[in-house]
Amino acid sequence: MARGRLIPDRVRIQSLGPEERLSSFDEYLMPYTREMAIEEAQRCVQCAKPWCNLACPILQDARQYVIQISEGDFEGAVETILKDDMMASCLGKVCYSYCEDVCVVGKKGDPVAIRHLKWAALEYGNGDRSYKRESERDGAVAIVGAGPAGLAAARLLAERGYRVTIFEASHKPGGLVTQTIPTYRLSPETFEEDMRRLESLGIEYRYGVRVGADVTLEELLQRGYDAVFLGIGTHSPGVLNIPGKDLPGVFIALEFLKRVMDGERPVVGETVAIIGGGDVAIDCSRTVLRMGAKKSVILYRRTREEMPGADEEIEDAMAEGVDIRFLVSPVEFKGEDRVESVRCQVMELGEPDESGRRRPVPMEGRYETFPVDSVLVAIGQWADLEAFPDLDLKTGRDGSILADPETSGTSMEGVFAGGGPSIVHAMAAGETAARSIMEYLEKKAAPTTAGSPP
Ligand SMILES: Cc1cc2nc3c(=O)[nH]c(=O)nc-3n(C[C@H](O)[C@H](O)[C@H](O)COP(=O)(O)OP(=O)(O)OC[C@H]3O[C@@H](n4cnc5c(N)ncnc54)[C@H](O)[C@@H]3O)c2cc1C
């Protein structure tokens, strides 16, 4: 055990080399071996205050499972993990690992590879377990959306014994996780592992139903559902309103990724520009290289420091040959029958804006033009609230649906809502809503004492 002695370097995470990665859409990272996982877990200094747990939106007990792995107890680690994390197989591969951002070991060297250790736990411990349903309770809940928020809410409610039906507009569960996260980062089989653990809970899934269009919230409440949770994610993409935006070859990133995940291969040509600096932009930049593009260039209006994409993703993208041009903002897409170039205004950084990041300011008279065969616009996405005009709902800065932060309640009685900018944030929102729904249902079921004799 390394307790007391800080080892600055993490056990190296194995991956395929950039060239091999680009030849397929298969996962390129590899799990630690059992021995490597134990060695890495032994780097944990076991802080008295579990900073890692506290940084996690679902309060995953990372400290405990890292200790268990350090002792070679992979079974125990899996048990710890699955208590709080019903998407553990996915999160072992693609969590944004807020725990690692606060890891004390990271102050002197590399943070403990907590996410990768979760992957190892599920690789060497038995993750093939089932959640258990308590005895039946009165109360039926409709969940709108089978993404992480909806699934997390469904799990808690079904475990408690409520009748749960998920209405999902698309034809599969998982939300953005299975609709957009590229398979080279997360295989569909990994998501299926998480889904298998839910099978014992008796959750009913209705696919191809868009709530708000095919059935309204009021109708759900009239049809015997006692409460509704809206976990609709962020499927309304930001549009760049500049000349040429409708030219063939200009794609909306979110729609593009969904098409690729459905097996389509839209023609992108050799040179592709991606507009934006977040994780969606990075995923697009790497996806087009796997589709045969020779040059993938991200055009971002601020600098590397302000880029919202995860460092690890940015580094991996650059290792694969993605080029990033900073301080450029598109003003026009040019072309005859298809986009041929992107004209950009050159920017410089000014004062910080409301997000705390320095604002990009145009440099007068300075423009740069990039020749392209395709452009992918990845400038953010928001919850699509158009289908719910009667709800007084707003979206947050990250685009996800904002409900009451304490209760997840909305302006309509019995309707709750939530989501988030990452899988764990969305799960946490779903769980908060599920707890409020349980409270609501218990109150509803309690016999009223008003007017009864003392
Ligand atoms: C390209 C990309 C890569 C990402 N990578 C990561 C990553 O590596 N790690 C990470 O933690 N997070 C990542 N995220 C973010 C993460 O996927 C989301 O934060 C998370 O999926 C949000 O969960 P959710 O349940 O709130 O919404 P969603 O996952 O969007 O699920 C909402 C579901 O509701 C359905 N729906 C919408 N409207 C209706 C309706 N009216 N009726 C019925 N169904 C409806 C949708 O079809 C969808 O299935 C990524 C996102 C994208 C776009």
Side-chain angles (χ1 to χ4, degrees), residues 206-246:
R206 302 250 184 101
Y207 295 109
V209 183
R210 181 168 291 280
V211 175
D214 301 325
V215 56
T216 64
L217 290 173
E218 290 81 358
E219 281 167 338
L220 286 177
L221 291 167
Q222 281 157 14
R223 284 183 197 174
Y225 291 101
D226 300 290
V228 179
F229 171 64
L230 275 186
I232 56 171
T234 51
H235 291 254
S236 189
V239 178
L240 205 51
N241 260 325
I242 60 174
K245 69 180 169 54
D246 297 322

Side-chain angles (χ1 to χ4, degrees), residues 91 93-96 98 143-151 167-170 172-177 179-182 185 209-213 230-235 254 257-258 279-281 283 313 381 384 387-388 400 418-427:
L91 288 169
K93 294 183 178 176
V94 297
C95 187
Y96 291 144
Y98 304 104
I143 306 257
V144 184
L151 291 172
F167 295 88
E168 166 56 49
S170 76
K172 59 182 175 188
L176 289 170
V177 176
Q179 291 174 27
T180 63
I181 297 185
R185 291 207 289 123
V209 183
R210 181 168 291 280
V211 175
L230 275 186
I232 56 171
T234 51
H235 291 254
L254 207 60
L257 288 175
K258 287 182 181 182
D279 292 301
V280 178
D283 277 338
E313 303 301 326
Q381 60 268 347
D384 184 358
F388 309 103
S400 51
S422 70
I423 299 172
V424 270
H425 279 105
M427 282 167 62

Side-chain angles (χ1 to χ4, degrees), residues 90-255:
C90 289
L91 288 169
K93 294 183 178 176
V94 297
C95 187
Y96 291 144
S97 45
Y98 304 104
C99 49
E100 293 181 24
D101 295 342
V102 297
C103 175
V104 167
V105 181
K107 295 200 170 122
K108 295 271 165 63
D110 302 326
V112 174
I114 305 175
R115 182 186 72 202
H116 222 61
L117 288 175
K118 179 175 280 185
W119 182 354
L122 283 143
E123 198 72 15
Y124 307 115
N126 178 17
D128 207 5
R129 302 171 189 227
S130 301
Y131 291 112
K132 292 201 174 43
R133 191 175 164 87
E134 291 175 14
S135 48
E136 296 298 312
R137 270 171 209 263
D138 275 347
V141 183
I143 306 257
V144 184
L151 291 172
R155 174 216 161 177
L156 286 195
L157 289 160
E159 266 187 332
R160 187 62 77 86
Y162 291 109
R163 200 152 54 77
V164 176
T165 309
I166 301 186
F167 295 88
E168 166 56 49
S170 76
H171 291 274
K172 59 182 175 188
L176 289 170
V177 176
T178 50
Q179 291 174 27
T180 63
I181 297 185
T183 52
Y184 57 82
R185 291 207 289 123
L186 183 70
S187 70
E189 294 75 30
T190 308
F191 175 72
E192 280 157 24
E193 275 170 38
D194 285 326
M195 285 302 284
R196 271 201 296 279
R197 287 182 214 111
L198 297 179
E199 277 170 9
S200 50
L201 290 176
I203 298 166
E204 190 188 341
Y205 297 86
R206 302 250 184 101
Y207 295 109
V209 183
R210 181 168 291 280
V211 175
D214 301 325
V215 56
T216 64
L217 290 173
E218 290 81 358
E219 281 167 338
L220 286 177
L221 291 167
Q222 281 157 14
R223 284 183 197 174
Y225 291 101
D226 300 290
V228 179
F229 171 64
L230 275 186
I232 56 171
T234 51
H235 291 254
S236 189
V239 178
L240 205 51
N241 260 325
I242 60 174
K245 69 180 169 54
D246 297 322
L247 277 172
V250 178
F251 298 94
I252 302 291
L254 207 60
E255 286 161 15

